[in-house]
Amino acid sequence: MTVFLWIPLAIVALWLVVLVAFARPLLARWREPVLRHPVLVIESDDWGAGPLEQAKALRELAAMLGRIRDGTGRPALMTLGMVFEVPDGPRILADGGTTYHGLPLSDPRFDEVCAAIKEGIAAGVFVPQLHGQAHYWPPALLAAAQSDASVRTWLTSPEPAATEDLPSHLQSRWVDAATLPSRPLDAAAIDAAVTFECESYRALFAAAPQVAVATTFVWSDAVERAWARAGIDTVITPGRRATCRDASGAPGGVDARMLNGDRAASGMTYLVRDVYFEPIKGHEPERLAAALAARTRQGRACLIETHRANFFGARAASLAALERGLRRALDEWPTLRFVAPLELARAIRERDPDWIATRSLPRLAARCARIAEIPRFRRAAYWTGLMLPLSRCNRRL
Ligand SMILES: [Zn+2]
């Protein structure tokens, strides 16, 4: 055999080695269903208990979303990650700061906030989902307040406080981050807390929650088991599960990675939300349309994460940025559909042909577009020359 035959054979063998080495993530992306339409979900967290200015922000958001329609006539919709409690500062102060008391969303001072949420739901522009009874673990907050004056001041605030002002690690509900690294919570305490917050949700919306998103995206298998027992169907994730706050306070202890439609051990369906759109951080409307284009190429829904804080002080500018982003997305993708996460999860789970591509070429193109995101695979494919045939294949599709 001549050298001219050996060299191509060796290259092909090298490519096979690379493909086998990355077989698991490649197969996972191959199996992940491919959507047949561009799909956009605006996911917004932290609504409910907290600053009373939310009522005005929610009404303005609802009016703006209602003006924008997809090709099926459905208005743009936004999920509201719901929080049902903030600290009752005056009561905590009266007890010398040693006992926690919550101020629930059912308190009459939040009536306007609740009314605005319900009006938006009735108009088809808001979809509530469970974020947590509180945006923190109360015993951890109380413990941290003993040594941190700023946390103590926040905890005893006379007005409903904004959890955005807490140190980031204390905003995680499902760990004890009073000291770092955080410690896991007792499973029985998690169970009781999930049961309680599902009751809060049911009291407000007359229905059990079906979609959950953990505060700061830190949660655990024990939390998932409790959610599943409470009837949660779909879990919003960033594509990985962080289980703790590390010594620096950052999310850590990643013990699972997931793609859209993957199932939890308890049977719940995962969705991936990995695009950030925070106008108060300088994100331009173009970011939203660009993210939609990238996810559409991958045959995935574009789940955009944003927070209520955008719509407080800089409300007008943030509203305008979101509206421009949505309109631009619709201009560029006229077949775009707005959808609620629960519907999306069901469509993926059931391989609904109205939502899931069945033709070979679009599926192959989307799978090729997903390959580049696999950590280290792109580099290995580049250095072995495998990227060349893959890129040619992608371009042809
Ligand atoms: Zn949050």
Side-chain angles (χ1 to χ4, degrees):
M1 208 179 284
T2 68
V3 69
F4 297 107
L5 198 55
W6 274 113
I7 290 175
L9 278 177
I11 290 173
V12 170
L14 192 59
W15 290 351
L16 284 175
V17 169
V18 172
L19 290 171
V20 169
F22 289 91
R24 203 169 159 187
L26 285 170
L27 279 174
R29 280 156 185 81
W30 186 268
R31 284 194 296 261
E32 183 186 356
V34 172
L35 297 184
R36 59 186 303 172
H37 313 285
V39 170
L40 186 67
V41 183
I42 303 292
E43 286 253 333
S44 177
D45 285 347
D46 305 346
W47 298 97
L52 303 182
E53 61 180 311
Q54 289 174 95
K56 192 169 191 303
L58 285 160
R59 289 201 165 101
E60 289 178 356
L61 267 167
M64 184 275 283
L65 295 167
R67 291 194 295 270
I68 300 175
R69 307 260 162 176
D70 69 15
T72 69
R74 187 173 196 176
L77 57 86
M78 176 180 263
T79 66
L80 302 181
M82 292 297 305
V83 172
F84 295 93
E85 176 183 314
V86 283
D88 188 333
R91 280 188 72 195
I92 295 172
L93 192 61
D95 264 357
T98 54
T99 308
Y100 174 81
H101 299 283
L103 178 66
L105 187 55
S106 54
D107 187 277
R109 85 191 81 167
F110 295 123
D111 280 356
E112 274 304 295
V113 175
C114 293
I117 290 170
K118 288 182 177 177
E119 287 163 19
I121 293 171
V125 295
F126 291 155
V127 179
Q129 51 195 32
L130 182 65
H131 202 28
Q133 178 68 22
H135 209 296
Y136 47 82
W137 185 246
L141 202 58
L142 202 60
Q146 306 311 309
S147 58
D148 187 327
S150 65
V151 174
R152 197 159 53 245
T153 302
W154 185 88
L155 196 57
T156 54
S157 163
E159 296 298 323
T163 45
E164 295 88 338
D165 296 337
L166 278 174
S168 171
H169 61 276
L170 288 175
Q171 295 181 35
S172 292
R173 176 160 175 77
W174 298 120
V175 288
D176 179 352
T179 57
L180 295 171
S182 65
R183 285 158 297 158
L185 302 178
D186 178 65
I190 291 173
D191 258 344
V194 167
T195 300
F196 186 66
E197 62 195 36
C198 288
E199 282 168 11
S200 297
Y201 187 104
R202 194 192 298 267
L204 182 60
F205 299 117
Q210 291 178 281
V211 180
V213 51
T215 65
T216 75
F217 277 143
V218 173
W219 78 105
S220 64
D221 197 42
V223 175
E224 287 192 5
R225 285 198 300 273
W227 279 341
R229 274 194 289 273
I232 295 293
D233 172 280
T234 301
V235 179
I236 307 296
T237 79
R240 64 191 180 283
R241 185 172 69 190
T243 58
C244 71
R245 290 285 185 158
D246 66 18
S248 70
V254 173
D255 70 347
R257 294 185 184 274
M258 55 284 284
L259 298 171
N260 290 297
D262 282 352
R263 306 291 284 271
S266 47
M268 298 180 296
T269 302
Y270 293 123
L271 291 179
V272 176
R273 174 175 100 182
D274 57 359
V275 177
Y276 296 90
F277 184 65
E278 311 275 17
I280 48 170
K281 293 183 178 170
H283 295 168
E284 301 286 339
E286 292 71 26
R287 181 185 180 96
L288 199 148
L292 176 65
R295 293 295 170 276
T296 300
R297 273 196 301 276
Q298 295 172 329
R300 290 171 169 155
C302 182
L303 271 67
I304 303 272
E305 174 171 341
T306 192
H307 294 85
R308 69 174 182 187
N310 288 284
F311 306 101
F312 287 176
R315 190 161 54 228
S318 293
L319 267 175
L322 180 57
E323 181 166 4
R324 281 205 307 278
L326 288 169
R327 290 197 184 281
R328 184 161 175 170
L330 272 170
D331 283 347
E332 291 181 16
W333 301 94
T335 57
L336 170 64
R337 287 195 186 183
F338 300 123
V339 69
L342 193 66
E343 298 165 66
L344 179 62
R346 182 207 57 78
I348 290 175
R349 207 163 45 229
E350 297 175 4
R351 302 291 193 270
D352 182 342
D354 189 35
W355 289 89
I356 306 299
T358 50
R359 285 170 44 230
S360 301
L361 271 185
R363 289 164 69 195
L364 188 58
R367 287 157 172 167
C368 284
R370 293 169 183 174
I371 285 174
E373 70 177 2
I374 301 173
R376 298 195 303 278
F377 176 77
R378 191 185 172 85
R379 212 176 322 146
Y382 176 82
W383 286 111
T384 58
L386 175 59
M387 195 55 92
L388 214 63
L390 288 178
S391 310
R392 282 181 74 89
C393 165
N394 207 4
R395 270 202 300 275
R396 275 170 180 261
L397 294 169

Short mmCIF file of all heavy atoms in Angstrom, two decimals, residues 55 91 122 137 154 168 171 184 218 254 260 275 280 306 313 326 369 375 383:
data_model
loop_
_atom_site.label_atom_id
_atom_site.label_comp_id
_atom_site.label_asym_id
_atom_site.label_seq_id
_atom_site.Cartn_x
_atom_site.Cartn_y
_atom_site.Cartn_z
N ALA A 55 -46.56 46.62 40.35
CA ALA A 55 -47.91 46.66 39.76
C ALA A 55 -47.90 47.49 38.48
O ALA A 55 -48.41 47.07 37.44
CB ALA A 55 -48.91 47.22 40.77
N ARG A 91 -41.71 43.18 62.12
CA ARG A 91 -41.92 42.08 63.10
C ARG A 91 -40.58 41.44 63.49
O ARG A 91 -40.37 41.09 64.66
CB ARG A 91 -42.83 41.00 62.49
CG ARG A 91 -44.31 41.36 62.56
CD ARG A 91 -45.16 40.18 62.14
NE ARG A 91 -45.17 39.10 63.14
CZ ARG A 91 -45.60 37.87 62.90
NH1 ARG A 91 -46.02 37.55 61.70
NH2 ARG A 91 -45.59 36.97 63.86
N ALA A 122 -55.14 36.75 32.34
CA ALA A 122 -56.43 36.73 31.63
C ALA A 122 -56.25 37.22 30.19
O ALA A 122 -56.94 36.76 29.28
CB ALA A 122 -57.44 37.59 32.38
N TRP A 137 -33.24 31.17 51.62
CA TRP A 137 -33.60 30.18 52.62
C TRP A 137 -33.63 30.91 53.96
O TRP A 137 -32.58 31.34 54.46
CB TRP A 137 -32.58 29.03 52.63
CG TRP A 137 -32.93 27.91 53.55
CD1 TRP A 137 -32.26 27.54 54.66
CD2 TRP A 137 -34.04 27.02 53.42
NE1 TRP A 137 -32.87 26.46 55.25
CE2 TRP A 137 -33.99 26.11 54.50
CE3 TRP A 137 -35.10 26.89 52.50
CZ2 TRP A 137 -34.93 25.10 54.69
CZ3 TRP A 137 -36.03 25.88 52.71
CH2 TRP A 137 -35.93 25.00 53.78
N TRP A 154 -31.24 44.87 55.68
CA TRP A 154 -32.17 44.43 54.63
C TRP A 154 -33.31 43.62 55.24
O TRP A 154 -34.48 43.82 54.91
CB TRP A 154 -31.40 43.57 53.61
CG TRP A 154 -32.23 43.16 52.43
CD1 TRP A 154 -32.41 43.85 51.28
CD2 TRP A 154 -33.05 41.98 52.33
NE1 TRP A 154 -33.27 43.16 50.45
CE2 TRP A 154 -33.68 42.01 51.07
CE3 TRP A 154 -33.31 40.90 53.18
CZ2 TRP A 154 -34.54 41.02 50.63
CZ3 TRP A 154 -34.18 39.91 52.74
CH2 TRP A 154 -34.78 39.97 51.48
N SER A 168 -25.47 37.76 46.28
CA SER A 168 -25.97 36.74 45.34
C SER A 168 -26.14 35.37 45.99
O SER A 168 -27.16 34.69 45.79
CB SER A 168 -25.03 36.65 44.14
OG SER A 168 -25.36 35.55 43.34
N GLN A 171 -29.27 34.62 47.79
CA GLN A 171 -30.50 34.56 46.99
C GLN A 171 -30.83 33.13 46.56
O GLN A 171 -31.88 32.89 45.96
CB GLN A 171 -30.36 35.45 45.76
CG GLN A 171 -30.23 36.93 46.09
CD GLN A 171 -30.12 37.80 44.84
OE1 GLN A 171 -30.72 37.52 43.81
NE2 GLN A 171 -29.34 38.86 44.92
N PRO A 184 -25.73 21.54 52.16
CA PRO A 184 -27.04 21.09 51.64
C PRO A 184 -28.11 21.15 52.72
O PRO A 184 -27.81 21.08 53.91
CB PRO A 184 -26.77 19.65 51.19
CG PRO A 184 -25.50 19.23 51.85
CD PRO A 184 -24.73 20.47 52.19
N VAL A 218 -29.69 27.18 41.43
CA VAL A 218 -29.01 26.25 42.33
C VAL A 218 -30.08 25.36 42.94
O VAL A 218 -30.99 25.86 43.62
CB VAL A 218 -28.23 27.00 43.43
CG1 VAL A 218 -27.67 26.01 44.46
CG2 VAL A 218 -27.09 27.82 42.83
N VAL A 254 -21.64 21.21 40.03
CA VAL A 254 -22.50 20.77 38.91
C VAL A 254 -22.50 19.25 38.85
O VAL A 254 -21.45 18.62 38.73
CB VAL A 254 -22.00 21.36 37.57
CG1 VAL A 254 -22.77 20.77 36.39
CG2 VAL A 254 -22.12 22.88 37.59
N ASN A 260 -32.76 20.17 25.97
CA ASN A 260 -34.22 20.27 25.90
C ASN A 260 -34.86 18.90 25.71
O ASN A 260 -34.44 18.13 24.85
CB ASN A 260 -34.62 21.16 24.72
CG ASN A 260 -34.26 22.60 24.95
OD1 ASN A 260 -34.76 23.24 25.85
ND2 ASN A 260 -33.34 23.11 24.13
N VAL A 275 -30.14 32.19 27.33
CA VAL A 275 -29.89 33.49 26.70
C VAL A 275 -30.32 34.58 27.69
O VAL A 275 -31.40 34.48 28.27
CB VAL A 275 -30.71 33.64 25.40
CG1 VAL A 275 -30.48 35.02 24.79
CG2 VAL A 275 -30.33 32.54 24.40
N ILE A 280 -31.06 46.67 31.51
CA ILE A 280 -30.35 47.55 32.46
C ILE A 280 -28.85 47.23 32.50
O ILE A 280 -28.07 48.01 33.04
CB ILE A 280 -30.92 47.49 33.90
CG1 ILE A 280 -31.12 46.05 34.37
CG2 ILE A 280 -32.18 48.30 34.05
CD1 ILE A 280 -31.44 45.94 35.86
N THR A 306 -34.85 37.11 31.70
CA THR A 306 -34.78 38.49 32.12
C THR A 306 -35.35 38.59 33.54
O THR A 306 -35.84 37.60 34.07
CB THR A 306 -35.50 39.42 31.11
OG1 THR A 306 -35.18 40.77 31.41
CG2 THR A 306 -37.01 39.23 31.14
N GLY A 313 -36.66 51.06 37.82
CA GLY A 313 -36.20 52.43 37.59
C GLY A 313 -36.11 52.82 36.12
O GLY A 313 -36.65 53.83 35.69
N LEU A 326 -38.46 42.19 20.23
CA LEU A 326 -39.53 41.30 19.79
C LEU A 326 -39.96 41.61 18.36
O LEU A 326 -40.17 40.70 17.55
CB LEU A 326 -40.72 41.41 20.75
CG LEU A 326 -40.53 40.79 22.13
CD1 LEU A 326 -41.65 41.20 23.08
CD2 LEU A 326 -40.46 39.27 22.02
N ALA A 369 -25.48 22.07 13.35
CA ALA A 369 -25.29 23.37 14.00
C ALA A 369 -25.05 23.21 15.50
O ALA A 369 -24.44 24.08 16.13
CB ALA A 369 -26.51 24.25 13.74
N PRO A 375 -18.17 21.26 24.38
CA PRO A 375 -16.86 21.66 24.88
C PRO A 375 -15.76 20.74 24.36
O PRO A 375 -15.90 19.53 24.37
CB PRO A 375 -17.01 21.54 26.41
CG PRO A 375 -18.47 21.55 26.66
CD PRO A 375 -19.13 20.97 25.45
N TRP A 383 -8.30 20.66 14.93
CA TRP A 383 -6.91 20.23 14.82
C TRP A 383 -6.74 18.93 14.03
O TRP A 383 -5.67 18.64 13.50
CB TRP A 383 -6.29 20.07 16.22
CG TRP A 383 -6.01 21.42 16.84
CD1 TRP A 383 -6.65 21.98 17.90
CD2 TRP A 383 -5.06 22.40 16.40
NE1 TRP A 383 -6.18 23.25 18.16
CE2 TRP A 383 -5.18 23.53 17.24
CE3 TRP A 383 -4.12 22.45 15.37
CZ2 TRP A 383 -4.40 24.67 17.10
CZ3 TRP A 383 -3.34 23.59 15.22
CH2 TRP A 383 -3.49 24.68 16.09
#
